[in-house]
Amino acid sequence: MPSPIDWREAGLGMGEAVPEDRRVTGANWRTWPFNRWAFQHTRQLVPSVQLAGADTPAPLAERPTDLSALRFTGENGETIGWETYVASTYTDAMIVLHRGAVIHETYRNGMTAATPHHLFSITKSIVGLVAEMLIADGEIAADLATEDAVPELATSAFAGTTLRQLLDMTDGIAFDEDYANLASDVHRYSASYWTPEVARGGTLPMLATLNRREAVPGTAFRYRTPIADAAAWVLRRATGRSLADLVTERVWKPAGCGDAAHFLLDTGGHEIAGSGLNATARDLARLARFLMAGAPAAKTLIDGGDRALFAAGAANMRPDHSYRSFWWVNHAPPAALMAMGVYGQRLHIEPENDLAIIRVASTPLPSNITSDPLHGRAFAALRAHL
């Protein structure tokens, strides 16, 4: 793996004044090293809409804590400390929130406390939280049929699925999400996000083309990005509200999130539910605090989903886990609620320890699976230290 770089020192950026081998474009912005700049500047690359929040961001108490004594095993079996861990994992920002106070906060690679960062699939978890709140309030039924809410999907494999199955990714629709395979479904599908010359009209017409099913709805878990987009269409149609408005009203304002934030828009002009939210690390800390303080639907999330379906469908990818409304749930003590996105995005919440770890990054490769063990050891050392 290449060594981490700072986009400022590397001279990365947009425009004719930037040398071609350093220039970020619509074609390369999700690849190394161009993502080091791009994930902090997505509004310059993709159409977007502002996400409204609290008029004044909720204050975050601070209680700086020295973490330099932490020691744990690195990726190659060596003993490392917290700083080496943070620096070597391509971190752009990290916050540790403990008992309501920020005890550690660091920014790298040109990022600041005010910089919105692309969150990728953490977006899904925010959408899932909105859905659970709407279900809890009786504004939408968990068993709402997808095709009843979105008739455009009635002739696709989404026919016969429910909102609950979409939220828990037990809908059974076939889709190849292998990022390493450039011919996989995910790369063709993502053109509806940010490649208008290839896929006009956004996610809805692309979802309507998904016609294969690999399992009976409700019988197997498998993680696939388009399912979050389908769930968002159900929420839009059932409430008559835009996704940005729903997030603002249900999550962002109640949590006190008020920094600059935005949703990227697909090629049809709609918020990208599978991967489009950009927000500051501090607003993610406010969201974590909101959930740990007993936000509506928080208990539903931490209770988790069907563990047997997860174990069968995840091929032991994450033992002792389940999946609920686009959140990963670790049931091994201490129970943890996790939102994760490719290229190193993590929101890790341990309610019983009143502990949250917020991390945004720009790693060379999309997948987080290989780095899971290192993050687990780092978080365990942190937990023991506190």
Side-chain angles (χ1 to χ4, degrees):
M1 295 283 279
S3 298
I5 61 171
D6 185 303
W7 66 259
R8 297 164 302 179
E9 296 172 1
L12 298 169
M14 290 185 70
E16 294 299 321
V18 179
E20 191 170 347
D21 65 342
R22 304 279 94 183
R23 190 180 305 156
V24 181
T25 69
N28 68 20
W29 69 273
R30 297 177 309 283
T31 62
W32 179 270
F34 308 103
N35 62 349
R36 295 292 281 173
W37 180 89
F39 294 173
Q40 299 175 43
H41 299 88
T42 58
R43 295 202 87 171
Q44 297 182 46
L45 291 154
V46 181
S48 64
V49 62
Q50 180 180 345
L51 180 64
D55 293 337
T56 302
L60 289 167
E62 298 184 14
R63 191 178 67 251
T65 301
D66 183 9
L67 303 181
S68 63
L70 270 66
R71 294 291 182 272
F72 46 94
T73 303
E75 289 189 295
N76 300 311
E78 77 283 24
T79 298
I80 63 172
W82 187 259
E83 172 56 29
T84 298
Y85 158 69
V86 172
S88 66
T89 52
Y90 308 92
T91 301
D92 293 332
M94 181 176 280
I95 293 176
V96 177
L97 186 73
H98 186 229
R99 295 176 181 170
V102 173
I103 66 167
H104 176 77
E105 184 172 15
T106 185
Y107 296 92
R108 315 288 172 100
N109 185 36
M111 189 163 167
T112 72
T115 308
H117 194 285
H118 194 24
L119 302 180
F120 287 98
S121 291
I122 290 178
T123 310
K124 294 181 177 73
S125 302
I126 307 303
V127 173
L129 177 58
V130 168
E132 286 294 350
M133 291 178 171
L134 291 169
I135 291 169
D137 285 352
E139 293 192 32
I140 189 169
D143 61 356
L144 175 63
T146 302
E147 68 268 27
D148 287 349
V150 191
E152 294 93 331
L153 300 181
T155 59
S156 73
F158 286 98
T161 65
T162 66
L163 175 59
R164 168 54 62 205
Q165 291 162 353
L166 299 181
L167 292 171
D168 295 349
M169 294 211 184
T170 60
D171 50 273
I173 292 168
F175 186 86
D176 179 8
E177 188 141 347
D178 180 2
Y179 284 90
N181 177 8
L182 296 181
S184 68
D185 293 336
V186 70
H187 293 294
R188 290 193 296 273
Y189 179 83
S190 64
S192 69
Y193 286 171
W194 29 64
T195 316
E197 60 271 21
V198 175
R200 294 187 179 278
T203 58
L204 186 55
M206 189 68 80
L207 290 167
T209 69
L210 300 182
N211 293 313
R212 295 181 297 114
R213 182 171 284 163
E214 61 185 11
V216 174
T219 65
F221 163 84
R222 198 158 73 79
Y223 180 88
R224 291 136 303 137
T225 285
I227 308 308
D229 294 314
W233 276 107
V234 173
L235 299 185
R236 289 184 183 105
R237 294 292 179 78
T239 65
R241 307 287 287 160
S242 73
L243 187 58
D245 284 347
L246 288 170
V247 171
T248 289
E249 295 162 7
R250 290 285 175 166
V251 178
W252 228 238
K253 283 189 174 181
C257 301
D259 293 337
H262 58 275
F263 259 107
L264 300 184
L265 302 177
D266 67 17
T267 60
H270 298 96
E271 308 95 331
I272 299 173
S275 185
L277 184 60
N278 290 248
T280 66
R282 285 198 142 230
D283 269 351
L284 289 183
R286 294 179 178 102
L287 173 61
R289 184 176 61 182
F290 177 62
L291 287 168
M292 290 190 292
K299 185 179 185 304
T300 298
L301 295 175
I302 198 65
D303 285 347
D306 189 310
R307 296 170 69 173
L309 291 184
F310 184 91
N316 296 319
M317 175 175 60
R318 292 188 169 97
D320 298 317
H321 283 59
S322 68
Y323 195 79
R324 186 69 163 180
S325 288
F326 306 139
W327 289 81
W328 304 86
V329 185
N330 187 351
H331 296 279
L337 192 61
M338 297 171 293
M340 292 185 282
V342 291
Y343 297 101
Q345 323 316 316
R346 284 178 183 262
L347 172 56
H348 178 97
I349 302 171
E350 298 178 7
E352 68 180 76
N353 290 328
D354 204 358
L355 173 67
I357 302 159
I358 296 92
R359 166 186 152 79
V360 295
S362 43
T363 61
L365 299 175
S367 178
N368 292 319
I369 292 296
T370 58
S371 62
D372 266 1
L374 175 60
H375 294 303
R377 292 190 296 272
F379 296 174
L382 174 66
R383 188 185 310 120
H385 179 75
L386 298 175

